[in-house]
């Protein structure tokens, strides 16, 4: 197979070519950089490239193959790393002016694991500033365009990670998901995106947005690739006190299990109201496909879902206001020029360094945490969060895996929601509950709408049940045969 075509295929297929010595890891990596050269000026997926490091890594893989040593399943496979995850000695900007010149002094735990597995990191992927957004239009540097249609957003906040994988500028990627930032871009870009159970993957070295919600996870072309990448990044970590002590299973082990008797629940509140007709049709098709595989379909109700956006935007902004207090011009990052005094330095540094959306959230969160309002907003939100989790606990007594659309509609036009933060926040209606409840959730592509944009289905399972989730996703993917290679072959303007 021609190498240009090979880099548009799954990690698994590329690995087979590596093992058979049809291609070298250096050749694969170089082909990916050629693709970036050709297309990234239009897509904007990367904030910076880490070519020297990637080629070095690929050389080590080739040496191992030459010496007939075993290589781990994703060795030599090009990866885009979201630019809020530290890679030692390279920039980590969170797409913010305040960190524009920041060089990571250490590796995130996930980055260390990528290095141990000899996975070439191609570059740092663009995102909404500090991962706040749903369209990647909040990056301080440049927007990202959707490889399926350059006039559409790729989804956010991991828009760069998703656009890189969809366009052939990387084969796999890591994103972070606080309220849907892996699943939404995966949905808009026709990819698989998985937010693991809270604590499954270490957050050490991830720039914190809302610490009780943040999780790192894979964005890939296939379910199996996502399972392989989760194998690499998951596991307990003494550097993150919220990481779970459970040893993770092999996430690829149950992929092919039969679905006979498995209970698939669809969420009444998300599968009936406010959906675009094409998304609705795709969800119905997924349901009938599961039925034909012998799964049992049950209706699930999550009545508190209607409060989830409000709950999320109180909790996430409260945590963000606290986490972002460290960016004050003193220790690292941007500092204003010629301040009059210390107070002036703090104020001007933050006023000049943060973008609009980040400032909006710091103000919202500070308000919600202030004395006098704490009980009315923050405490109430935490109480509702608990009740939402209890709704899920009940639902998982009835179903093994719960499905819904990932978003009520497909990717929207660039610029169409920037003036209206509330309508932007509503795109997360289906995704944020999984973060509030800490459960694993993923997106898989299930079809295209009339304008040729991908439609995503969300699957959710109970805590630590990623294997069930991946099994249900794998079987549907196998039945539907979605063509993820389209945008990397023909970028539509
Ligand atoms: N779109 C949501 C927000 O802006 C989720 C972001 C995320 O998951 N990082 O907060």
């Amino acid at each position: 197979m021609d190498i240009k075509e090979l880099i548009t295929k799954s990690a698994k297929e590329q690995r087979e070519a590596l093992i058979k010595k049809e291609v070298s890891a250096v050749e694969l990596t170089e082909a990916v950089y050629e693709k970036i050269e050709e297309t990234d000026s239009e897509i904007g997926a990367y904030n910076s490239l880490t070519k020297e490091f990637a080629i070095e890594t690929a050389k080590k893989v080739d040496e191992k193959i030459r010496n007939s040593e075993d290589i781990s399943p994703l060795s030599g496979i090009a990866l885009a790393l979201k630019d809020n995850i530290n890679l030692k000695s390279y920039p980590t900007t969170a797409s913010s002016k305040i960190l524009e010149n920041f060089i990571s002094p250490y590796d995130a735990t996930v980055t260390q694991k990528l290095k141990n597995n000899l996975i070439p990191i191609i570059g740092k992927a663009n995102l909404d500033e500090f991962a706040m957004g749903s369209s990647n239009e909040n990056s301080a540097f440049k927007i990202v365009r959707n490889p399926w249609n350059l006039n559409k957003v790729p989804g956010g906040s991991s828009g760069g990670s998703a656009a890189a994988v969809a366009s052939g500028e990387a084969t796999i990627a890591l994103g972070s998901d606080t309220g849907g930032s892996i699943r939404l871009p995966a949905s808009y870009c026709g990819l698989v995106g998985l937010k693991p159970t809270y604590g499954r993957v270490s957050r050490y070295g991830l720039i914190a947005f809302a610490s009780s919600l943040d999780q790192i996870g894979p964005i890939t072309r296939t379910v199996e690739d996502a399972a392989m990448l989760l194998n690499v990044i998951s596991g307990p970590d003494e550097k993150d006190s919220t990481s779970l002590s459970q040893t993770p299973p092999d996430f690829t082990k149950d992929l092919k299990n039969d679905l006979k008797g498995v209970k698939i629940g669809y969420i009444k509140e998300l599968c009936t109201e406010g959906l675009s007709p094409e998304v609705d049709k795709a969800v119905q098709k997924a349901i009938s496909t599961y039925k034909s595989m012998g799964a049992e379909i049950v209706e699930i109700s999550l009545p508190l879902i209607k409060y989830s956006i409000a709950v999320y935007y109180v909790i996430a902004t409260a945590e963000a206001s606290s986490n972002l207090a460290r960016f004050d011009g003193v220790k690292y990052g941007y500092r204003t020029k010629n301040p009059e005094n210390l107070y002036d330095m703090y104020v001007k540094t933050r006023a000049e360094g943060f973008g609009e959306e980040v400032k909006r959230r710091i103000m919202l969160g500070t308000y919600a945490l202030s004395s006098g309002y704490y009980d009315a907003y923050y405490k109430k939100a935490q109480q509702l969060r608990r009740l939402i989790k209890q709704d899920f606990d009940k639902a998982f007594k009835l179903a093994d895996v719960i499905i819904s659309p990932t978003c009520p509609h497909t990717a929207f036009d660039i610029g169409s929601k920037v003036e209206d933060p509330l309508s932007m926040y509503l795109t997360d209606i289906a995704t944020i509950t999984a973060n509030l409840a800490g459960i694993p959730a993923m997106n898989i592509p299930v079809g295209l709408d009339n304008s040729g944009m991908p439609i995503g289905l969300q699957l959710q399972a109970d805590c630590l049940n990623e294997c069930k989730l991946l099994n249900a996703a794998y079987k549907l993917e196998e039945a539907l045969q979605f063509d993820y290679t389209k945008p990397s072959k023909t970028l539509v303007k």
Side-chain angles (χ1 to χ4, degrees), residues 82 131-134 156-157 176-181 209 312-313 361 428:
K82 190 173 180 179
M132 297 176 186
S134 306
S157 65
S176 65
D177 191 311
T178 307
S181 279
F209 162 10
Y312 170 84
Y313 275 95
R361 300 211 185 186
D428 300 326

Side-chain angles (χ1 to χ4, degrees), residues 311-373:
V311 170
Y312 170 84
Y313 275 95
V314 172
I315 294 174
T317 58
E319 293 186 18
S321 73
S322 161
N323 275 326
L324 271 56
R326 71 192 70 173
F327 302 104
D328 57 6
V330 176
K331 297 181 268 314
Y332 47 80
Y334 175 79
R335 178 183 294 175
T336 189
K337 309 280 169 289
N338 309 318
E340 280 168 24
N341 51 42
L342 182 64
Y343 183 75
D344 192 49
M345 194 277 287
Y346 289 146
V347 171
K348 286 200 179 127
T349 294
R350 289 168 67 82
E352 293 161 15
F354 289 134
E356 288 302 297
E357 182 60 27
V358 176
K359 283 184 209 164
R360 180 161 30 240
R361 300 211 185 186
I362 291 173
M363 286 193 286
L364 273 172
T366 307
Y367 182 82
L369 287 178
S370 55
S371 74
Y373 296 107

Side-chain angles (χ1 to χ4, degrees), residues 7 32 36 46 78-80 122 161 163-173 221:
I7 59 164
V32 169
I36 293 172
Y46 286 104
L79 177 135
I122 298 295
S161 301
V165 177
S167 63
E169 296 182 12
T171 301
I172 53 178
R221 295 176 182 148

Side-chain angles (χ1 to χ4, degrees), residues 210-420:
S211 309
S212 76
L213 302 161
D214 298 341
Q215 256 310 265
I216 297 172
I219 296 180
T220 57
R221 295 176 182 148
T222 68
V223 174
E224 188 165 14
D225 287 1
M228 290 196 288
L229 188 49
L230 188 58
N231 276 346
V232 170
I233 61 172
S234 58
D237 179 14
E238 61 186 23
K239 294 190 186 123
D240 172 3
S241 61
T242 62
S243 88
L244 295 169
S245 54
Q246 281 88 343
T247 309
D250 173 0
F251 292 106
T252 61
K253 76 178 165 54
D254 292 335
L255 289 177
K256 298 180 181 162
N257 288 0
D258 200 323
L259 291 187
K260 255 187 210 96
V262 169
K263 293 200 178 89
I264 306 276
Y266 66 91
I267 307 175
K268 188 173 90 183
E269 290 81 1
L270 290 177
C271 289
T272 47
E273 291 155 34
L275 290 188
S276 93
E278 292 150 288
V279 172
D280 184 35
K281 212 168 118 194
V283 172
Q284 294 312 323
K285 186 170 171 205
I287 291 177
S288 60
T289 310
Y290 275 129
K291 242 188 223 159
S292 70
M293 288 191 266
E296 197 181 313
I297 308 295
V298 290
E299 185 183 278
I300 296 294
S301 175
L302 294 172
L304 297 177
I305 256 182
K306 56 177 181 283
Y307 301 119
S308 57
I309 298 242
V311 170
Y312 170 84
Y313 275 95
V314 172
I315 294 174
T317 58
E319 293 186 18
S321 73
S322 161
N323 275 326
L324 271 56
R326 71 192 70 173
F327 302 104
D328 57 6
V330 176
K331 297 181 268 314
Y332 47 80
Y334 175 79
R335 178 183 294 175
T336 189
K337 309 280 169 289
N338 309 318
E340 280 168 24
N341 51 42
L342 182 64
Y343 183 75
D344 192 49
M345 194 277 287
Y346 289 146
V347 171
K348 286 200 179 127
T349 294
R350 289 168 67 82
E352 293 161 15
F354 289 134
E356 288 302 297
E357 182 60 27
V358 176
K359 283 184 209 164
R360 180 161 30 240
R361 300 211 185 186
I362 291 173
M363 286 193 286
L364 273 172
T366 307
Y367 182 82
L369 287 178
S370 55
S371 74
Y373 296 107
Y374 180 93
D375 284 347
Y377 297 110
Y378 189 71
K379 200 169 154 202
K380 257 261 135 57
Q382 290 291 19
Q383 288 166 334
L384 262 160
R385 181 179 190 176
R386 168 51 58 112
L387 294 175
I388 289 170
K389 170 78 172 90
Q390 286 172 359
D391 267 3
F392 272 111
D393 290 344
K394 279 186 220 147
F396 287 122
K397 293 209 167 77
L398 303 172
D400 300 294
V401 172
I402 293 179
I403 60 169
S404 69
T406 301
C407 183
H409 49 77
T410 54
F412 47 91
D413 287 345
I414 290 171
S416 63
K417 288 188 198 279
V418 273
E419 299 303 327
D420 183 1

